[in-house]
Amino acid sequence: MNKIETAEILGYLSAAYPSAKVTKETAIVFHDILKELPRTEVMSAAKELVRECDWFPSPAQVLRAVARANGLLSPIPAFAWQEVLAEVRRVGKGEEPKFSHATTQAVVKAMGWREICMSDNANVLRSNFLKLYQDLSLASDRESLSKVVSGSLDALISQKALSTASEG
Protein backbone atom coordinates (compact mmCIF):
# COMPACT_ATOMS: atom_id res chain seq x y z
CA MET A 1 0.00 0.00 0.00
CA ASN A 2 1.42 3.38 -0.90
CA LYS A 3 1.20 6.62 1.07
CA ILE A 4 -1.72 7.95 -0.98
CA GLU A 5 -3.72 4.79 -0.24
CA THR A 6 -2.86 5.07 3.45
CA ALA A 7 -4.10 8.67 3.38
CA GLU A 8 -7.36 7.52 1.73
CA ILE A 9 -7.92 4.95 4.47
CA LEU A 10 -7.16 7.52 7.17
CA GLY A 11 -9.60 9.87 5.44
CA TYR A 12 -12.29 7.19 5.59
CA LEU A 13 -11.59 6.58 9.28
CA SER A 14 -11.51 10.32 10.00
CA ALA A 15 -14.91 10.74 8.37
CA ALA A 16 -16.30 8.02 10.61
CA TYR A 17 -14.67 9.51 13.72
CA PRO A 18 -14.78 13.28 13.19
CA SER A 19 -13.43 14.07 16.65
CA ALA A 20 -10.23 12.11 15.98
CA LYS A 21 -7.14 14.19 15.34
CA VAL A 22 -5.09 12.65 12.52
CA THR A 23 -1.70 14.32 12.39
CA LYS A 24 1.16 13.88 9.95
CA GLU A 25 2.85 11.71 12.57
CA THR A 26 -0.27 9.54 12.85
CA ALA A 27 -0.24 9.01 9.09
CA ILE A 28 3.45 8.09 9.17
CA VAL A 29 2.85 5.46 11.87
CA PHE A 30 -0.18 3.99 10.09
CA HIS A 31 1.75 3.76 6.83
CA ASP A 32 4.78 2.24 8.52
CA ILE A 33 2.67 -0.52 10.13
CA LEU A 34 0.31 -1.20 7.22
CA LYS A 35 2.41 -0.50 4.11
CA GLU A 36 2.98 -4.16 3.22
CA LEU A 37 -0.72 -4.96 3.15
CA PRO A 38 -3.00 -4.75 0.12
CA ARG A 39 -5.19 -1.63 0.10
CA THR A 40 -8.37 -3.67 -0.37
CA GLU A 41 -7.62 -5.76 2.74
CA VAL A 42 -6.92 -2.67 4.85
CA MET A 43 -10.04 -0.85 3.61
CA SER A 44 -12.20 -3.89 4.38
CA ALA A 45 -10.67 -4.02 7.86
CA ALA A 46 -11.28 -0.28 8.33
CA LYS A 47 -14.93 -0.71 7.39
CA GLU A 48 -15.30 -3.61 9.81
CA LEU A 49 -13.73 -1.54 12.59
CA VAL A 50 -16.04 1.40 11.87
CA ARG A 51 -18.96 -0.99 12.36
CA GLU A 52 -17.67 -2.29 15.70
CA CYS A 53 -15.50 0.39 17.35
CA ASP A 54 -16.66 3.48 19.19
CA TRP A 55 -13.23 5.14 18.94
CA PHE A 56 -10.69 5.74 16.19
CA PRO A 57 -8.78 2.45 15.76
CA SER A 58 -5.05 2.08 16.26
CA PRO A 59 -2.78 0.62 13.56
CA ALA A 60 -2.62 -2.57 15.66
CA GLN A 61 -6.43 -2.86 15.59
CA VAL A 62 -6.43 -2.49 11.81
CA LEU A 63 -3.68 -5.08 11.51
CA ARG A 64 -5.58 -7.55 13.73
CA ALA A 65 -8.76 -6.93 11.74
CA VAL A 66 -6.94 -7.81 8.50
CA ALA A 67 -5.52 -10.97 10.08
CA ARG A 68 -8.88 -11.91 11.60
CA ALA A 69 -10.68 -11.42 8.28
CA ASN A 70 -8.25 -13.84 6.68
CA GLY A 71 -8.63 -16.47 9.40
CA LEU A 72 -5.09 -16.01 10.68
CA LEU A 73 -5.86 -15.35 14.36
CA SER A 74 -6.76 -18.01 16.86
CA PRO A 75 -10.46 -18.41 17.62
CA ILE A 76 -11.64 -17.08 20.96
CA PRO A 77 -10.95 -19.55 23.78
CA ALA A 78 -14.60 -20.37 24.47
CA PHE A 79 -15.13 -21.26 20.82
CA ALA A 80 -12.02 -23.48 20.82
CA TRP A 81 -13.22 -25.27 23.97
CA GLN A 82 -16.65 -25.86 22.43
CA GLU A 83 -14.94 -27.28 19.36
CA VAL A 84 -12.95 -29.69 21.55
CA LEU A 85 -16.13 -30.84 23.31
CA ALA A 86 -17.83 -31.36 19.95
CA GLU A 87 -14.92 -33.51 18.77
CA VAL A 88 -15.04 -35.57 21.98
CA ARG A 89 -18.69 -36.33 21.21
CA ARG A 90 -18.08 -36.85 17.49
CA VAL A 91 -15.00 -39.11 17.46
CA GLY A 92 -14.24 -40.03 21.05
CA LYS A 93 -10.85 -41.37 22.09
CA GLY A 94 -10.61 -43.91 19.28
CA GLU A 95 -10.20 -41.53 16.35
CA GLU A 96 -8.15 -38.49 15.44
CA PRO A 97 -9.95 -35.18 16.10
CA LYS A 98 -10.01 -32.34 13.55
CA PHE A 99 -9.96 -28.69 14.53
CA SER A 100 -10.45 -25.45 12.63
CA HIS A 101 -7.24 -23.85 13.88
CA ALA A 102 -3.69 -24.96 14.61
CA THR A 103 -3.75 -23.41 18.10
CA THR A 104 -6.60 -25.65 19.19
CA GLN A 105 -4.79 -28.65 17.70
CA ALA A 106 -1.57 -27.73 19.54
CA VAL A 107 -3.32 -27.40 22.91
CA VAL A 108 -5.10 -30.74 22.46
CA LYS A 109 -1.82 -32.39 21.49
CA ALA A 110 -0.06 -30.91 24.53
CA MET A 111 -2.82 -32.06 26.88
CA GLY A 112 -3.31 -35.42 25.21
CA TRP A 113 -6.43 -36.36 23.29
CA ARG A 114 -6.98 -39.59 25.22
CA GLU A 115 -6.61 -37.73 28.54
CA ILE A 116 -9.16 -35.14 27.43
CA CYS A 117 -11.64 -37.84 26.42
CA MET A 118 -11.14 -39.84 29.64
CA SER A 119 -11.20 -36.95 32.11
CA ASP A 120 -13.70 -37.16 34.97
CA ASN A 121 -13.25 -33.56 36.06
CA ALA A 122 -14.61 -31.28 33.34
CA ASN A 123 -14.02 -28.08 35.34
CA VAL A 124 -10.31 -28.75 35.87
CA LEU A 125 -9.93 -29.91 32.27
CA ARG A 126 -11.61 -26.76 30.96
CA SER A 127 -9.52 -24.54 33.21
CA ASN A 128 -6.27 -26.19 32.11
CA PHE A 129 -7.30 -26.03 28.46
CA LEU A 130 -8.15 -22.32 28.65
CA LYS A 131 -4.89 -21.41 30.43
CA LEU A 132 -2.76 -23.28 27.91
CA TYR A 133 -4.86 -22.01 25.01
CA GLN A 134 -4.40 -18.42 26.12
CA ASP A 135 -0.62 -18.81 26.22
CA LEU A 136 -0.34 -20.62 22.90
CA SER A 137 -2.80 -18.34 21.11
CA LEU A 138 -0.87 -15.25 22.17
CA ALA A 139 2.33 -16.71 20.75
CA SER A 140 0.63 -17.97 17.57
CA ASP A 141 -1.22 -14.71 16.95
CA ARG A 142 1.91 -12.66 17.58
CA GLU A 143 3.75 -14.76 15.00
CA SER A 144 0.91 -14.41 12.48
CA LEU A 145 0.75 -10.64 12.97
CA SER A 146 4.51 -10.38 12.59
CA LYS A 147 4.30 -12.24 9.28
CA VAL A 148 1.41 -10.05 8.12
CA VAL A 149 3.44 -6.92 8.87
CA SER A 150 6.48 -8.30 7.06
CA GLY A 151 4.45 -8.71 3.88
CA SER A 152 3.71 -12.42 4.08
CA LEU A 153 -0.09 -12.07 4.09
CA ASP A 154 -0.50 -13.86 0.74
CA ALA A 155 1.76 -16.70 1.87
CA LEU A 156 -0.14 -17.07 5.15
CA ILE A 157 -3.49 -17.13 3.39
CA SER A 158 -2.20 -19.74 0.93
CA GLN A 159 -0.77 -21.83 3.77
CA LYS A 160 -4.09 -21.69 5.63
CA ALA A 161 -5.99 -22.65 2.47
CA LEU A 162 -3.69 -25.63 1.90
CA SER A 163 -4.01 -26.87 5.48
CA THR A 164 -7.80 -26.46 5.37
CA ALA A 165 -7.99 -28.32 2.03
CA SER A 166 -5.84 -31.20 3.34
CA GLU A 167 -8.08 -31.51 6.42
CA GLY A 168 -11.25 -31.64 4.35
Side-chain angles (χ1 to χ4, degrees), residues 17-95:
Y17 303 97
S19 64
K21 181 180 175 188
V22 179
T23 65
K24 179 181 176 184
E25 291 77 14
T26 303
I28 289 169
V29 171
F30 266 80
H31 183 70
D32 184 50
I33 299 300
L34 305 172
K35 66 186 172 193
E36 299 297 332
L37 302 176
R39 180 202 174 280
T40 55
E41 297 279 344
V42 177
M43 183 55 88
S44 293
K47 289 178 180 180
E48 180 65 27
L49 290 168
V50 166
R51 285 189 287 273
E52 66 185 42
C53 293
D54 293 330
W55 308 104
F56 194 90
S58 69
Q61 287 174 292
V62 176
L63 184 61
R64 280 193 302 273
V66 169
R68 184 175 57 240
N70 287 286
L72 301 174
L73 296 183
S74 302
I76 62 170
F79 175 81
W81 177 243
Q82 290 304 313
E83 190 175 28
V84 169
L85 294 178
E87 283 299 281
V88 168
R89 289 187 297 275
R90 187 180 75 81
V91 302
K93 65 181 179 192
E95 293 183 44

